[in-house]
Amino acid sequence: MRQLIFAFCIGLFPFAANAVEPDEMLADPVLEQRAREISKDLRCVVCQNQDIDSSNAGVARDLRLLVRERLVTGDSDAEVIEYIRARYGDYVLLKPPLEPATYALWFAPIAFVLIGVFVGGGVLMSRRKQEAFEDLGAEDENTVSEILRQNEAGDAS
Amino acid sequence: MKRLIAGLPFIAAVIFGGFFLWGLNPDRDPNEIPSVLISQPAPAFDLDPVPGLETPGLARSDLVGNERPVVVNVFASWCVPCRAEHAVLTRFVEREGMRLFGINYKDKPEDAVKWLNDLGNPYERIGSDLSGRTGIEWGLSGVPETFIVDGDGTVLFRYVGPVVGPDAVERFTQALKQAGALPKGAAS
């Protein structure tokens, strides 16, 4: 039994493996935590769908070290991110900034939902209104009977 | 109102169709990262020469004040595509009169020296970027990368990956000509 548990624990090792290597980590746990959080918002420029926190690429490692270095010199989180953004552009941010060029990206989903609610609601409302009619009124009644008569005449021929 | 709703699928089809058409363009590279450096001043850096090499080191001041725009190539001996690109760059230097500077990226000096001794050294100056920090200043995503820098220190062009193959060479030649980085009357 003990051997089984041991084997299970060994089996878990690969999942515990992390891109952040021990020699990169800062001694100060608060700073290290901030570095981890910042790294999760920065895109690796080599493996482009990964954040640098989980990427094993060389450049990602360099950027992680850079983030920590800036933190140690007393930069705020925003300053660190701005430093890297100045070199790699908006592309390096996993969360795109809110600016005129990205308005469509940020507001299109809301706009589509609103359009959907508006159109769908409009259709439902107009349908409900039609059900409320009981009397067509004299003029419409005449039109309908006229059409029906024409249809019957058409069927007969 | 009804007519508007009836037209919605058509509008949606046009929008999506247009998007797909745009995506089908074979020249579009979805992996391409827009460079922030273009039309921006080249980053400040000052790199020591590669130990064991007679070629002097490279700093930003070497890139400015030149008569013609110059080319900065980031390379490494461990980078296989760089080897292929080396021949192309050498040809540009020897036949077209292009001025070439190098940044030796995260390379062991002895490997770099051996590599350049084997293949020849077309670089006027080579800075050794052991830490990769200058690479980050340039917004590097990998090696090789090649930049054209204007006489006032403005980055005019960036090529990611090796300048190898007819298409790449053609693009690079166009960029060189547009920048005026080749001397007039060069054999080409």
Side-chain angles (χ1 to χ4, degrees):
Chain A
M1 187 60 199
R2 191 176 280 177
Q3 272 175 337
L4 248 172
I5 292 172
F6 182 69
F8 180 73
C9 290
I10 295 260
L12 280 179
F13 270 133
F15 299 105
N18 208 316
V20 184
E21 285 158 39
D23 64 316
E24 297 174 17
M25 289 183 187
L26 297 171
D28 182 346
V30 180
L31 277 186
E32 176 63 25
Q33 190 53 40
R34 277 173 63 197
R36 297 297 299 270
E37 290 305 319
I38 294 172
S39 304
K40 280 180 187 141
D41 282 339
L42 293 175
R43 185 201 297 262
C44 168
V45 285
V46 181
C47 24
Q48 297 174 0
N49 252 345
Q50 249 181 332
D51 55 36
I52 61 168
D53 190 59
S54 60
S55 168
N56 287 309
V59 175
R61 181 187 153 90
D62 289 349
L63 285 174
R64 283 198 300 270
L65 289 172
L66 183 67
V67 164
R68 284 165 174 77
E69 206 172 275
R70 302 297 306 181
L71 284 177
V72 169
T73 56
D75 274 14
S76 70
D77 291 7
E79 278 167 344
V80 174
I81 290 176
E82 191 49 45
Y83 184 90
I84 291 178
R85 182 182 166 192
R87 280 147 188 82
Y88 284 95
D90 286 344
Y91 192 87
V92 83
L93 308 173
L94 280 172
K95 193 192 267 179
L98 184 61
E99 55 187 24
T102 58
Y103 280 169
L105 186 68
W106 280 97
F107 297 123
I110 302 167
F112 281 129
V113 168
L114 287 180
I115 290 172
V117 168
F118 177 72
V119 171
V123 169
L124 286 179
M125 293 290 267
S126 61
R127 214 169 260 175
R128 189 165 293 171
K129 236 181 245 164
Q130 276 171 357
E131 279 170 17
F133 282 121
E134 282 178 2
D135 211 14
L136 282 177
E139 203 180 314
D140 285 345
E141 205 71 68
N142 276 342
T143 318
V144 169
S145 51
E146 180 73 26
I147 291 169
L148 284 175
R149 206 164 345 108
Q150 275 177 4
N151 270 5
E152 270 167 29
D155 284 343
S157 65
Chain B
M1 183 69 190
K2 270 229 175 82
R3 198 169 269 189
L4 190 78
I5 293 172
L8 272 180
F10 177 71
I11 296 168
V14 168
I15 292 173
F16 279 94
F19 185 71
F20 292 148
L21 201 66
W22 170 79
L24 276 173
N25 180 5
D27 291 332
R28 195 184 72 91
D29 179 7
N31 287 327
E32 194 175 291
I33 304 175
S35 179
V36 283
L37 262 184
I38 303 301
S39 307
Q40 297 292 315
F45 67 101
D46 190 355
L47 292 173
D48 291 332
V50 179
L53 211 64
E54 281 173 20
T55 318
L58 185 68
R60 186 185 192 275
S61 54
D62 298 316
L63 304 179
V64 294
N66 293 300
E67 199 184 319
R68 281 178 277 117
V70 295
V71 174
V72 177
N73 174 243
V74 187
F75 72 101
S77 69
W78 47 261
C79 145
V80 179
C82 296
R83 187 171 273 268
E85 189 190 46
H86 182 275
V88 178
L89 293 177
T90 305
R91 209 191 62 216
F92 270 111
V93 170
E94 286 175 356
R95 292 206 195 150
E96 319 254 344
M98 178 181 92
R99 293 191 62 190
L100 182 64
F101 297 95
I103 293 175
N104 189 221
Y105 182 72
K106 287 188 162 185
D107 209 353
K108 282 185 193 149
E110 57 267 30
D111 290 347
V113 170
K114 187 174 179 302
W115 196 78
L116 288 167
N117 282 340
D118 287 351
L119 298 173
N121 182 0
Y123 301 98
E124 282 181 42
R125 288 171 167 274
I126 299 176
S128 173
D129 182 20
L130 267 181
S131 66
R133 196 47 59 84
T134 302
I136 289 179
E137 294 292 329
W138 283 87
L140 204 72
S141 59
V143 277
E145 278 193 24
T146 309
F147 301 86
I148 300 177
V149 182
D150 202 1
D152 60 0
T154 314
V155 178
L156 297 175
F157 179 79
R158 175 195 192 198
Y159 194 91
V160 179
V163 185
V164 171
D167 289 350
V169 171
E170 175 61 29
R171 256 190 73 198
F172 188 59
T173 312
Q174 282 298 327
L176 283 173
K177 282 187 178 153
Q178 244 173 34
L182 302 177
K184 292 200 171 68
S188 57

